[in-house]
Amino acid sequence: MPGRDPSGDAPLLGLLLAAGASGGYWLGDVWPGIALALAVYVGICARRVRALARWLEGNPRGVEPPALRGPLGVMGSRMKLIQRRLLEDIADGEAQVARFRESFSALRDGIVILDAARAIEWCNPAAKRLLGLRFPEDRGQQVANLLRYPGFEAFLDEGDREREFEFTIPDARALTLQLQAADFGEASTVLFVRDLSAMKRLETIRQDFVGNISHELRTPLTVIAGYVDTLADLLDDSPLINKVLGQMRQQAVRMENLLKDLLLLSQLENDDEPDHEAEESIAACAMLESIRENALTACVGERTITLACDPALRFRASRIEAESIFSNLLFNAVKYSSSGGHIAVGFGVEGDALVFSVRDDGIGIDPVHIPRLTERFYRVEKSRSAERGGTGLGLAIVKHALIRLGGDLQVESRPGVGSTFRCRFPLERLEPGVSVRSAAVG
Ligand code: ADP
C-alpha cells in the first residue's frame, strides 16, 4: 500500500523540487522555484494532518483512517491498530463484568456495592428483594438513608469487618437478615446480605420444643419420684428392693436436674438481651457464701473453699442468672477435684471489668477441649461427669447467662494441675457508690 509507506513521499518531493528548480531556472533563479516547491509540499502535509485530525475527532469506531502517504499514513494505521486492540480489551472487560453480574444476579444472597461515599453503585435482585431496594432508581443514593436500621450506620463506619450485623425487617415478612461488609479497591465496600429467617424459625421451634418437653416431663417425674419414696417407706425390709428403689430415686433426681437445666437453658437461649426487669441489686458475697455452703455439703470428701470478696460489693443482675453462673462454676470445681482439694473463689474489680473467678487444683482439662466446653452436653469424660451428677449443660448455661449480662468466659487449665474459670462483667454492673477492693484469684 503506497499510502502506508514511510518513504512514499520521496518521489512526490523529488518531482516537486525538480519542477520548482526547472521553473526557476527558466525564470533566471532556481531558489524561488525550490522554495515554492517546498511550500507546496508543506501545504500537502498540512492537508493530510487535518484529514487525520478530522478522523480522530470523529470517534472513528470501525471507520478506516484516511489513506495517506508518508509518515502520517503510518501514524494513521498504527492508531487504527491500537484503537482496535483497545476496543477488543474494552469488549472483553464488559463481557467479564456482564458475566459477574449475571452470576451475582443468580445468587440467593444479596450483594450491594457501595462507592467511597457509601452510595449504592450496584445491587443484585436478591438484595432488592430482601432489603426493599430499587435498582437502578436507587443508584447514587446513600445506603444509610435507605436502610434506616438502628446500629447499621455504626456497623458500616467501624473498621471491624469480622463483625456481622443482624436485624429484622419490620414488615409483614419479618425477615431476619444478616449483613457482612468487606472493603475492596480504593474505598469501595461490598455488603453481603443473608436471609436467616428459616434458620431462626427452626431454632425457635427447637428451643420451644425443648422448653415444652422439659416442662411437660417434670410433673410425671415428680409423681414417679413420690411413689418411689412411698414404696421405699412401705418395703424397707428387703435389701434388694431397697437397692432397686435407691437407684430409681437416684435416676429420678438426675432426670429432674437435667430437666431443670434444659428448661433454664432454653429460657436463656431464647433471648440474648439482658432482662432488665428481672435485674436487682445483689449482695455478691452473701450469695457466694450460701453457694459455697451448698457445694461443701453436696461434695463427696473434703474440700477447702476460700472466698475473696468485699462484703460491700453489690452488682446488678438477674438473681437466677447470677446464681446459675456462680453455682455451676463452683460445683464444677468441687466435682472435678479430689478430696483434700483447694478451691479459691474471688469476685471484685480488675482493671476495667468486674471479675468472678474460680480456681481449683483438680483434674484439669486438655487444651483441645477448652473451645468446646460450653457446647450443650459436651463432656471431657462422660462417665466422670455422669458419675458426679453432671448434666453436661452447666457451662452452656453459664455461657448464655453471661451473654445476657454482657460478660464473657475465659478458661485456663492444665491437665493434672487444675483449672481457672474467669467471668468478666462490664463495670456498669457494679452498683454506684460502692468502693471495692480487687479480689482476683489469678
Ligand atoms: P457437667 O454437668 O458434665 O459438669 P458442664 O457443662 O458443667 O457439664 O461442663 C462440661 C465439661 O467440662 C465437664 O463434663 C467436664 O469434663 C469439664 N469441666 C467443667 N469444669 C471443670 C473443672 N473445673 N475441671 C475440670 N473439668 C471441668
Side-chain angles (χ1 to χ4, degrees), residues 13-84:
L13 192 55
L15 201 69
L16 283 172
L17 286 175
S22 57
Y25 178 77
W26 283 109
L27 293 171
D29 188 353
V30 290
W31 290 113
I34 289 174
L36 185 67
L38 286 174
V40 171
Y41 181 68
V42 168
I44 291 170
C45 286
R47 255 189 50 213
R48 289 175 179 168
V49 170
R50 267 205 307 279
L52 200 60
R54 265 202 305 276
W55 174 71
L56 280 173
E57 270 170 15
N59 188 20
R61 271 196 187 208
V63 178
E64 285 301 314
L68 302 171
R69 283 173 184 276
L72 288 172
V74 176
M75 271 170 67
S77 58
R78 286 273 155 217
M79 280 179 191
K80 180 70 197 164
L81 195 70
I82 292 168
Q83 184 207 47
R84 191 177 309 130

Side-chain angles (χ1 to χ4, degrees), residues 332 335-336 360 365 373 378-380 385 390-392 394-395 419:
N332 275 354
K335 253 190 313 191
Y336 299 106
D360 65 59
I365 306 162
L373 288 183
Y378 189 84
R379 284 125 154 179
V380 177
S385 158
T391 61
L395 293 182
S419 315

Side-chain angles (χ1 to χ4, degrees), residues 241-259:
I241 288 182
N242 271 343
K243 190 175 164 209
V244 170
L245 289 176
Q247 279 174 1
M248 282 172 79
R249 192 188 288 121
Q250 204 185 339
Q251 293 305 320
V253 169
R254 246 187 94 188
M255 221 161 138
E256 232 166 35
N257 288 340
L258 183 61
L259 291 180

